[in-house]
């Protein structure tokens, strides 16, 4: 929560604020190098302050009207004004001397995060999201107080950046169309649709990519040489910021028609900045929901407009900031202490790319005093403010939110540690009677969790001998590391019923539990002594690598067991798909299970214990497809149109642990009339979040910002859940006997629907007669 400055090489680290219990964030250095601006909650609200960069003066409060959360400040090039936005979707600027904020624009559809100043400090370029979800680039004149759009909402644009010489406004835009077809489904995606564009700010400026020619023309060789010398001298003399300020202008008329593409490949681009050496940007890796695709890495690029050449400045990292004079780049990459490396490199490319670790900063001297009680109060206040500002409705579910703060604040003097604080804050936000109000993390003691190796088995004890044997070995899928089963890997001689005699030569007998001999063995080579009888005689050894978690193995076994149960009960006519959550794991499981079973007559979708997420629309796009026709070839069996469409009966099984997007999936399964919903009423929490909000000590809270309502304009699902069409509870006594009443009912219902409403793909028509006696 304190503001530090760190030397690039020589000098001392400075703590400029020294304020335990006050949170400062969003730090920005003024272009003239004199001031540091930041956001502080010193007053109880978030206000902007500035402080001398050398730490030799008092901080100055710039704003006094803080009422809601605010976004990072951006300095004007003349170091006299700050540009900022707030949670109420308003964009502002404030003169640091006059200290009276001026509102630039009001948005409706998304926050303002991208806003920059022109070189003369008299214009602002910013991204504003429109109703269709696309961002547009706007220009605001401080002199005329007028807004002009540079782009339209027909394409998504953002990340504006002014050329320091005042010629161009650069921005990123999605305008490339080269759709990639999916490997499992006839669908498309476009992960590399973004390119750099520019607009000439003056009508008389040519494109920087106009055709070039070495043709001499009519001038004499001597005259041409003199012109070249003059041009070279002119290029050597760089324009000063004062020169740019004097000559800078923007011709608004026709500006939307002066957009030019920078000739770099489209990609996953972000963090566009402009400097004296060219246009800087990050080419990011393409990420799937489960992680980045192989074969790519992030890189910081600089495109030289004069040479028309793209250079990789630094490979392996994407976060960076360009200094105001354009000479240096501060980057952040992985590795290093606490998993991060920061460094400062020259902004001008030098042939070969830099790598993470080059010219890294020494941050070992960054220390600060901690006052836990002051921090606890600050975090308590911030949690209260964050819910006040971001909760989905201003009326706070009818709760007197100011009164709740007064009720819970008196408990703070009795808080003894972070566990107590988390409890108090959790109880306070719990008064909202709303889902997704989570509190956690923070400055807890380091508990040093024990690494415990697991074999992917169920043990049973042979009481007579005291040895343990493998009652069940979970098969897994050894072709994927997440579902590796140590005892079923090639070359491992182990089977169900074998006795585990010893681990790494240490005999294992009751009452010692197996776990004691597997401490600190996950991922390590371990030698097991096994035998088909409870004796050392005739035993053999195998080498295995225990797992750190059996969750994936046990979930896979549950899925396969249920699918076999459904398959056997329906003579193979009905398929079974389990979706554990609505995130990457859930979508991967849906793809893995759904498409191989798409030609079944019936399908049971199981979302019990679904942990939520956000991908339900993607799944419903597949489940709601309608068979519209058939396709046939001479030697192939007929196929459906669309290709991957399920044509049969469906049911969905849910329960009280289907939560968040598991609730929503259950709700829309009914609304779309895909089939009956079977089980018990769902959890009832659909007011969602956009990730965690970090607190002063590294902890977090969540803020329910988004809620759903139906087409009759009524709030739905929250605090009630989704009622099943057929209510069936899984009684514990029946489950312990190996029964699953909910799944058994689903089998009964889907078979009944298949019987009453059979669906069969239409057969190929007879061959056509000779023309013209054909049909019609």
């Amino acid at each position: 929560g304190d503001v530090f400055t760190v030397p690039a090489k020589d000098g001392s680290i400075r703590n400029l604020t020294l304020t335990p219990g006050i949170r400062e964030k969003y730090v920005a250095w003024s272009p003239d190098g004199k001031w540091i601006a930041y956001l502080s909650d010193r007053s109880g609200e978030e206000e902007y302050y500035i402080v001398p960069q050398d730490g030799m003066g008092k901080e100055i409060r710039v704003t006094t009207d803080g009422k809601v959360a605010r976004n990072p400040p951006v300095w004007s090039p003349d170091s006299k004004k700050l540009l900022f936005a707030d949670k109420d979707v308003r964009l502002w600027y404030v003169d640091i001397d006059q200290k009276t904020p001026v509102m630039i624009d009001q948005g409706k559809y998304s926050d303002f995060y991208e806003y920059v100043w022109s070189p003369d400090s008299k214009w602002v370029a910013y991204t504003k999201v429109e109703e269709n979800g696309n961002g547009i680039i706007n220009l605001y004149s401080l002199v005329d107080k007028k807004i002009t759009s540079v782009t339209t909402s027909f394409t998504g644009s953002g990340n504006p950046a002014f050329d320091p010489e005042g010629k161009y406004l650069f921005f990123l835009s999605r305008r490339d169309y080269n759709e990639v077809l999916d490997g499992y489904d006839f669908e498309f995606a476009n992960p590399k649709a973004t390119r750099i564009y520019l607009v000439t700010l003056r009508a008389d400026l040519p494109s920087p990519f106009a055709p070039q020619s070495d043709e001499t023309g009519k001038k004499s060789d001597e005259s041409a040489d003199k012109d070249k010398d003059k041009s070279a001298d002119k290029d050597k003399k760089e324009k000063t910021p004062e020169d740019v300020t004097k000559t800078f202008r923007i011709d608004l008329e026709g500006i939307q028609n002066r957009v030019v593409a920078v000739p770099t490949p489209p990609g996953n681009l972000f963090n566009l900045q402009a400097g004296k050496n060219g246009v800087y940007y990050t080419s990011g890796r393409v990420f799937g929901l489960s992680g980045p695709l192989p074969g790519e890495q992030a890189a910081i690029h600089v495109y030289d407009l004069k040479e028309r050449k793209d250079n990789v400045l630094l490979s392996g990292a994407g976060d960076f900031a360009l200094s105001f004079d354009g000479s240096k780049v501060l980057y952040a990459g992985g590795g290093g202490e606490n998993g991060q490396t920061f460094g400062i490199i020259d902004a001008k490319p030098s042939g070969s790319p830099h790598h993470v670790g080059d010219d890294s900063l020494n941050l070992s001297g960054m220390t600060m005093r901690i006052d836990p009680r002051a921090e606890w109060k600050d975090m308590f206040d911030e949690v209260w403010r964050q819910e006040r500002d971001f909760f989905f409705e201003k009326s706070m579910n009818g709760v007197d939110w100011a009164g709740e703060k007064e009720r819970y604040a008196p408990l703070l003097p009795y808080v003894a540690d972070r566990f107590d604080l988390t409890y108090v804050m959790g109880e306070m936000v719990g008064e909202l009677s709303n889902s997704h109000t989570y509190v956690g993390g923070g400055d807890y003691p380091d508990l040093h969790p024990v690494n415990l190796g697991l074999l992917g088995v169920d043990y049973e004890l042979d009481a007579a001998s005291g040895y343990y044997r493998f009652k069940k070995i979970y098969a897994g899928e050894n072709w994927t590391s997440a579902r590796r089963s140590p005892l079923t890997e090639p070359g491992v001689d182990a089977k169900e019923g074998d006795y585990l005699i010893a681990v790494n030569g240490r005999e294992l007998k009751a009452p010692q539990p197996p776990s004691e001999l597997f401490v600190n063995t996950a991922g390590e080579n371990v030698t097991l002594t096994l035998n088909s009888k409870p004796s050392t005689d005739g035993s053999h050894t195998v080498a295995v690598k225990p797992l750190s978690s059996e969750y994936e193995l046990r979930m896979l076994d549950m899925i396969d067991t249920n699918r076999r149960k459904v398959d056997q009960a329906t003579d193979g006519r009905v398929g079974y798909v389990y979706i554990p959550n609505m995130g990457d794991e859930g979508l991967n499981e849906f793809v893995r299970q759904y498409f191989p079973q798409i030609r079944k007559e019936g399908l049971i979708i199981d979302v019990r214990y679904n942990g939520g997420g956000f991908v339900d629309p993607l799944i419903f796009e597949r489940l709601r497809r309608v068979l519209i026709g058939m396709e046939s070839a001479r030697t192939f069996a007929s196929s459906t149109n669309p290709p991957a469409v399920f044509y049969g009966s469906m049911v969905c099984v849910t329960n009280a642990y289907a939560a968040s997007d598991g609730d929503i999936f259950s709700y829309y399964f009914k609304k779309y009339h895909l089939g009956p919903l079977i089980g018990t009423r769902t959890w009832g929490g659909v007011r969602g979040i956009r990730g965690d909000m970090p607190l002063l000590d590294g902890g977090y809270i969540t803020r329910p910002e988004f809620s759903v309502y139906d087409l009759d304009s009524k709030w739905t699902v929250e605090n009630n859940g989704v009622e099943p069409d057929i209510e069936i509870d899984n009684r514990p006594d029946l489950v312990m006997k190996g029964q699953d009443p909910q799944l058994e009912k689903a089998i009964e219902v889907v078979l009944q629907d298949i019987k009453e409403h059979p669906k069969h793909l239409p057969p190929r028509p007879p061959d056509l007669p000779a023309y013209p006696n054909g049909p019609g």
Side-chain angles (χ1 to χ4, degrees):
D2 284 0
V3 177
F4 289 81
T5 59
V6 178
K9 289 185 180 179
D10 302 318
S12 60
I13 293 176
R14 296 171 181 160
N15 186 332
L16 301 182
T17 52
L18 294 167
T19 49
I22 296 173
R23 186 178 189 183
E24 291 99 11
K25 59 184 179 180
Y26 301 153
V27 183
W29 210 312
S30 67
D32 62 10
K34 296 179 180 179
W35 298 97
I36 304 290
Y38 51 88
L39 195 62
S40 172
D41 63 4
R42 174 187 290 275
S43 69
E45 295 288 351
E46 292 189 343
E47 304 284 7
Y48 294 101
Y49 291 77
I50 59 175
V51 68
Q53 67 85 23
D54 60 4
M56 303 302 291
K58 295 182 178 180
E59 67 178 3
I60 299 172
R61 182 171 171 176
V62 177
T63 60
T64 57
D65 60 340
K67 294 180 181 178
V68 296
R70 287 168 155 169
N71 293 341
V74 175
W75 282 98
S76 60
D78 61 9
S79 300
K80 295 180 179 179
K81 295 177 283 292
L82 294 174
L83 188 59
F84 65 92
D86 65 27
K87 180 264 165 191
D88 284 345
V89 199
R90 296 175 297 184
L91 182 63
W92 306 80
Y93 78 89
V94 61
D95 186 291
I96 63 173
D97 293 325
Q98 297 177 359
K99 300 179 176 58
T100 303
V102 177
M103 192 170 80
I104 293 173
D105 201 354
Q106 172 82 61
K108 289 178 63 177
Y109 304 106
S110 186
D111 296 303
F112 289 112
Y113 282 117
E114 300 170 348
Y115 35 85
V116 293
W117 291 95
S118 63
D120 67 347
S121 304
K122 294 179 181 179
W123 294 80
V124 172
Y126 61 96
T127 305
K128 184 178 184 180
V129 176
E130 294 298 299
E131 187 175 11
N132 64 1
N134 281 339
I136 64 171
I137 306 296
N138 280 345
L139 284 170
Y140 173 79
S141 167
L142 273 67
V143 176
D144 299 330
K145 296 181 172 49
K146 291 182 179 180
I147 298 171
T148 303
S149 295
V150 176
T151 64
T152 73
S153 63
F154 206 80
T155 54
S157 303
N159 202 169
F162 279 100
D163 165 30
E165 292 191 358
K167 295 179 180 179
Y168 317 114
L169 175 67
F170 299 96
F171 60 93
L172 298 177
S173 188
R174 297 189 303 272
R175 304 186 185 199
D176 273 81
Y177 305 94
N178 183 12
E179 312 314 300
V180 179
L181 295 181
D182 181 63
Y184 293 97
D185 190 14
F186 195 61
E187 278 290 331
F188 63 87
N190 193 337
K192 293 188 175 183
T194 304
R195 195 189 294 267
I196 305 170
Y197 294 83
L198 65 83
V199 58
T200 56
L201 294 176
R202 299 200 311 268
D204 60 348
L205 279 175
S207 165
F209 311 113
Q212 293 176 317
S213 174
D214 292 330
E215 197 171 5
T216 58
K218 295 182 179 180
K219 292 186 178 181
S220 67
D221 292 340
E222 185 178 352
S223 175
D225 290 340
K226 289 181 180 179
D227 287 346
K228 286 181 180 179
D229 292 339
K230 289 179 181 179
S231 177
D233 291 339
K234 186 177 180 181
D235 289 339
K236 289 177 182 178
K237 185 181 179 183
E238 294 183 2
K239 285 185 177 181
T240 66
E242 291 77 13
D243 294 335
V244 174
T245 299
K246 292 176 183 177
T247 61
F248 183 84
R249 81 169 194 268
I250 299 178
D251 296 332
L252 296 176
E253 185 176 352
I255 194 168
Q256 291 188 357
N257 298 322
R258 302 201 300 267
V259 174
V260 178
V262 176
T264 57
N268 179 24
L269 310 183
F270 54 94
N271 201 5
L272 183 70
Q273 300 178 43
K276 63 182 181 180
N277 295 304
V279 191
Y280 295 76
Y281 66 97
T282 296
S283 62
R285 304 174 71 177
V286 175
F287 276 77
L289 289 182
S290 300
L293 300 186
E296 295 184 333
Q297 64 175 350
I300 301 170
H301 296 246
V302 54
Y303 182 84
D304 188 324
L305 270 73
K306 294 178 180 177
E307 298 295 330
R308 302 188 182 185
K309 181 181 179 181
D310 188 77
N311 299 278
V312 174
L313 185 67
L314 184 142
S315 61
D319 292 333
F320 74 95
L322 184 64
S323 64
F324 283 102
D325 66 359
S327 64
K328 298 288 182 179
V329 165
L330 168 68
Y331 71 85
E337 191 174 356
N338 298 319
Q340 281 192 302
T341 298
F342 297 90
I344 296 177
I345 58 177
D346 286 335
K348 189 173 183 179
S350 58
S352 59
H354 290 277
H355 298 278
V356 174
D358 291 354
D359 296 316
S360 60
L361 301 179
N362 180 5
L363 306 181
S364 60
M366 287 186 70
T367 59
M368 58 188 292
R369 290 183 59 190
I370 299 297
D371 181 346
R373 292 196 175 277
E375 281 195 352
W376 296 340
K377 182 182 183 306
D378 182 86
M379 288 186 283
F380 176 88
D381 291 343
E382 182 164 18
V383 167
W384 182 85
R385 283 199 316 269
Q386 289 289 330
E387 300 294 354
R388 176 201 67 182
D389 293 348
F390 287 91
F391 194 68
F392 85 101
E393 62 179 6
K394 190 175 182 180
S395 61
M396 307 296 288
N397 267 355
V399 174
D400 177 7
W401 194 232
E404 294 303 329
K405 183 180 181 183
E406 293 178 1
R407 286 182 61 208
Y408 281 91
L411 297 176
L412 287 174
Y414 302 97
V415 169
D417 55 29
R418 188 52 158 86
F419 294 96
D420 288 351
L421 179 70
T422 299
Y423 175 77
V424 170
M425 295 191 302
E427 290 295 299
M428 180 174 67
V429 298
E431 298 289 351
L432 292 169
S433 299
N434 202 89
S435 63
H436 297 88
T437 46
Y438 305 132
V439 181
D443 195 10
Y444 286 117
D446 187 355
L447 301 179
H448 300 292
V450 175
N451 164 351
L452 184 64
L454 301 166
L455 295 179
V457 302
D458 290 338
Y459 295 99
E460 63 179 354
L461 177 64
D462 177 30
S465 65
Y467 286 114
Y468 297 92
R469 59 175 167 242
F470 301 140
K471 180 180 180 180
K472 178 174 182 175
I473 297 175
Y474 290 85
E477 294 174 341
N478 289 325
W479 56 84
T480 176
S481 60
R483 289 178 169 173
R484 181 178 64 85
S485 179
L487 297 184
T488 67
E489 291 190 281
V492 177
D493 182 9
K495 57 184 179 295
E496 292 178 353
D498 280 353
Y499 289 84
L500 178 56
I501 305 299
V503 178
N504 283 337
R506 296 172 60 190
E507 187 179 42
L508 174 63
K509 274 192 173 184
Q512 186 179 37
S515 57
E516 282 192 14
L517 298 188
F518 285 95
V519 172
N520 293 325
T521 63
E524 302 295 329
N525 289 327
V526 173
T527 300
L528 308 179
T529 302
L530 307 179
N531 204 342
S532 59
K533 58 186 179 182
S535 169
T536 57
D537 294 337
S539 63
H540 65 281
T541 61
V542 297
V544 298
K545 281 189 176 183
L547 308 166
S548 60
S549 170
E550 293 175 338
Y551 170 80
E552 288 286 340
L553 286 182
R554 293 178 180 272
M555 185 181 74
L556 177 64
D557 180 75
M558 182 203 74
I559 294 170
D560 290 344
T561 299
N562 285 349
R563 188 167 62 245
R564 284 193 297 269
K565 181 182 293 187
V566 171
D567 190 73
Q568 292 168 4
T570 65
D571 293 326
R573 300 167 68 191
V574 177
Y576 171 84
V577 175
Y578 180 69
I579 308 175
N581 55 49
M582 293 296 167
D584 63 312
E585 181 186 30
L587 189 58
N588 290 342
E589 280 301 319
F590 176 78
V591 172
R592 186 179 75 88
Q593 300 172 51
Y594 173 72
F595 290 105
Q597 302 181 90
I598 203 167
R599 289 293 162 257
K600 300 284 188 180
E601 294 179 61
L603 202 60
I604 297 172
I605 308 294
D606 190 347
V607 293
R608 292 175 293 183
Y609 305 98
N610 186 285
F614 61 94
V615 302
D616 77 274
L618 302 176
I619 294 175
F620 279 125
E621 279 189 12
R622 277 71 182 170
L623 297 182
R624 296 182 65 213
R625 286 179 182 163
V626 176
L627 179 68
I628 199 65
M630 302 290 294
E631 291 185 2
S632 182
R634 178 172 174 174
T635 55
F636 301 147
S638 298
S639 59
T640 61
N641 190 8
V645 58
F646 174 71
Y647 188 62
S649 302
M650 270 191 282
V651 299
C652 180
V653 188
T654 193
N655 67 2
Y657 298 96
S660 191
D661 206 15
D663 279 302
I664 293 174
F665 184 91
S666 303
Y667 177 74
Y668 285 121
F669 193 90
K670 289 182 65 173
K671 285 291 184 180
Y672 289 140
H673 303 291
L674 295 176
L677 187 67
I678 299 170
T680 57
R681 182 161 55 97
T682 62
W683 180 57
V686 295
R687 290 174 186 155
I689 58 178
R690 47 176 166 177
D692 301 336
M693 204 289 295
L695 296 173
L696 185 62
D697 69 344
Y700 68 90
I701 64 160
T702 56
R703 310 164 303 196
E705 296 184 58
F706 312 100
S707 190
V708 295
Y709 61 89
D710 62 20
L711 297 181
D712 296 322
S713 294
K714 294 179 180 178
W715 299 118
T716 186
V717 181
E718 183 75 20
N719 281 329
N720 182 73
V722 183
E723 302 282 353
D725 297 303
I726 303 172
E727 185 169 358
I728 297 288
D729 196 5
N730 271 12
R731 280 174 25 202
D733 61 324
L734 298 178
V735 173
M736 292 301 292
K737 293 177 182 178
Q739 295 179 232
D740 186 341
Q742 292 170 338
L743 185 60
E744 291 158 10
K745 187 65 176 180
I747 294 171
E748 175 191 329
V749 171
V750 74
L751 284 176
Q752 184 67 26
D753 191 69
I754 290 172
K755 180 179 179 181
E756 296 177 358
H757 307 98
K759 295 180 179 178
H760 301 287
L761 296 177
R764 175 183 168 122
D767 287 358
L768 294 169
Y771 183 82
N773 298 319

